[in-house]
Amino acid sequence: MSYRELRKFTETLRRLNYPQSISIESFRTPNFELMAEVLYWMVQRLDPSIPIHDDINTEDDRVEFLNGITTEVAAKSHI
């Protein structure tokens, strides 16, 4: 992501009252844990009853996490 996109993303999270302060520097290197935390938070805002596999220790767990979120958001959004 460009600096401009990162700045806009972090500002949007602040406006949405994301519970932690996220700096642009947090995304200078790949940071799956932070991305997963933000995705989890966003999905919980959409619908707190959505079951999410939150174990992201291995590559397979990460794939399962992303597939689960994608499936649930698509179903809730009627996509």
Side-chain angles (χ1 to χ4, degrees), residues 51-64:
I52 301 172
H53 171 79
D54 60 353
D55 181 22
I56 57 169
N57 293 325
T58 66
E59 186 176 340
D60 289 337
D61 291 337
R62 292 175 179 193
V63 169
E64 186 176 336

Side-chain angles (χ1 to χ4, degrees), residues 37-67:
E37 188 178 312
V38 170
L39 279 174
Y40 185 86
W41 176 78
M42 289 177 152
V43 170
Q44 291 300 300
R45 280 186 57 118
L46 175 67
D47 184 352
S49 68
I50 293 176
I52 301 172
H53 171 79
D54 60 353
D55 181 22
I56 57 169
N57 293 325
T58 66
E59 186 176 340
D60 289 337
D61 291 337
R62 292 175 179 193
V63 169
E64 186 176 336
F65 171 79
L66 292 172
N67 282 335

Side-chain angles (χ1 to χ4, degrees), residues 11-20 41 45:
E11 287 174 3
T12 300
L13 287 176
R14 278 188 215 109
R15 285 190 196 118
L16 292 172
N17 295 320
Y18 184 71
Q20 296 176 350
W41 176 78
R45 280 186 57 118

